[in-house]
Amino acid sequence: QYIDKSTPEGQKAYEEAAPDYVVVATPAWTHISLANKWLARGKPPKSVFLEKPADSSEEAVQQALEKLNAFDKRVMAMDHYRPKSALSIATVDEIETFLGGRVATFEYYLLEDRSGSDPLNSAPNVRDGAIEGEDRVAVMREGVALDLLSHMLALIDYFGTVATIRPVKVWAGRYMGVDGNPTKVTEVPAETFFASEFIFKDRHGDLVQGKAAVGKGIRGVRSLSKEYDHNAKLLELTGINGKKVRLDLRRVGPGHSE
């Protein structure tokens, strides 16, 4: 049932709703506050699922954790890149076997062009070389690292321990060239590109070398192949034997892991 909260009747229906489960998929800075409001209702839901990240405020997340018991299922985080990767424990075991027993390097790319030249972009009123036309300025005010890099954690969890991640190098920037003007900077206030080199321990306790690049409003990675020139959403693993496995995480296109 769809509830339009813009009307008094819709707002009343929303306040009286008593669902068993709630999914919060709003801008990151609203996640914890919305979860708190749902849990404070007279008949709270059994669980509130927060789309990654839990919130853009570390303080808000910490305060929420202090109110919850260990393994409390009233609030749970989720990431849609887990099912998107179509991996299972058996598949991960097969991949590691193919790679010689373990993963040596882990490379993650999530780069979206989102410009008028992007053949996969069907959004109306796109602007030349920018994502402003998609009303993403407000949504991205916290930057792409928080919005996109967190997807990587769900994938690392298949092959290693997230808590062991240690950054080695980081780069960040904002794109230019908006509306055909090479000196015009995006209206997005935070970084629109973020890259990092890092290490983490795999399931066997061995170190894995990692690389990640995330961005919006920028082209993909041509070196991967021509089909990734505009959009690169993939995980590439290299084994200790030199063999590679690539998982395509795009919604469309050849080789999609779904």
Side-chain angles (χ1 to χ4, degrees), residues 190-246:
E191 82 282 351
T192 59
F193 173 79
F194 183 90
S196 174
E197 292 182 2
F198 55 93
I199 57 173
F200 67 90
K201 288 186 178 180
D202 65 14
R203 299 190 298 169
H204 315 290
D206 296 311
L207 284 180
V208 177
Q209 301 293 324
K211 293 182 180 179
V214 298
K216 283 187 180 283
I218 105 175
R219 299 183 71 165
V221 183
R222 181 173 292 178
S223 62
L224 293 173
S225 70
K226 187 176 181 180
E227 67 177 300
Y228 292 104
D229 187 20
H230 289 284
N231 290 279
K233 297 183 180 182
L234 61 89
L235 170 64
E236 185 166 278
L237 306 170
T238 303
I240 56 175
N241 57 6
K243 292 184 178 181
K244 295 180 181 291
V245 171
R246 179 181 293 177

Side-chain angles (χ1 to χ4, degrees), residues 86-98:
L87 289 173
S88 65
I89 294 177
T91 305
V92 171
D93 289 338
E94 290 179 10
I95 289 174
E96 289 191 342
T97 299
F98 176 76

Side-chain angles (χ1 to χ4, degrees), residues 100-210:
R102 69 180 186 86
V103 176
T105 64
F106 177 106
E107 297 185 34
Y108 166 81
Y109 299 95
L110 208 170
L111 302 168
E112 295 180 342
D113 188 341
R114 297 303 193 195
S115 72
S117 62
D118 182 355
L120 298 181
N121 184 25
S122 59
N125 302 320
V126 292
R127 290 169 56 178
D128 179 23
I131 54 176
E132 276 83 351
E134 293 186 280
D135 298 324
R136 295 286 294 174
V137 175
V139 176
M140 291 183 60
R141 74 179 191 182
E142 306 292 343
V144 294
L146 183 69
D147 185 33
L148 302 180
L149 198 64
S150 50
H151 287 309
M152 181 183 70
L153 304 182
L155 299 174
I156 285 181
D157 189 55
Y158 282 116
F159 301 93
T161 305
V162 172
T164 64
I165 297 174
R166 297 293 183 271
V168 178
K169 294 181 181 179
V170 295
W171 300 263
R174 296 164 66 209
Y175 66 75
M176 300 175 67
V178 177
D179 294 335
N181 183 345
T183 63
K184 186 176 180 180
V185 182
T186 173
E187 296 172 11
V188 177
E191 82 282 351
T192 59
F193 173 79
F194 183 90
S196 174
E197 292 182 2
F198 55 93
I199 57 173
F200 67 90
K201 288 186 178 180
D202 65 14
R203 299 190 298 169
H204 315 290
D206 296 311
L207 284 180
V208 177
Q209 301 293 324

